[in-house]
Amino acid sequence: RQQDLPGAIRRYQESLALKQALEDRTGAAATLHQLGTAEHQQGRLDPAMAYYEESLRIKKSVGVRQKTDAYH
């Protein structure tokens, strides 16, 4: 089955908007990381890096220490 990366990106963006509206910073960081991964898989390195950097900035600001903290 072929991956629907553009569809996944749209859904991640919708999820990000909801998490931001709810002020769920840890959830937003996790979603930004997933957006980075989806962009990277499509070979779009500049947007991927921007998502990864924003995710890391949020994780640092909320004190996420372990990778798994952002996903639970």
Side-chain angles (χ1 to χ4, degrees):
R1 177 176 148 183
Q2 184 175 349
Q3 294 179 342
D4 178 16
L5 291 173
I9 289 170
R10 282 191 302 277
R11 288 185 289 280
Y12 283 135
Q13 288 169 334
E14 291 169 4
S15 175
L16 178 61
L18 290 171
K19 289 173 182 172
Q20 289 172 330
L22 295 170
E23 298 182 12
D24 177 5
R25 296 185 68 201
T26 303
T31 301
L32 285 161
H33 185 92
Q34 293 302 321
L35 277 162
T37 299
E39 292 286 5
H40 183 248
Q41 288 175 339
Q42 292 191 96
R44 295 197 296 251
L45 302 183
D46 288 339
M49 185 60 83
Y51 283 128
Y52 287 141
E53 288 173 349
E54 181 66 8
S55 175
L56 181 59
R57 186 191 66 74
I58 293 170
K59 289 175 185 178
K60 285 181 177 180
S61 74
V62 297
V64 173
R65 291 185 202 109
Q66 296 179 9
K67 178 181 173 182
T68 57
D69 288 351
Y71 301 99
H72 298 289

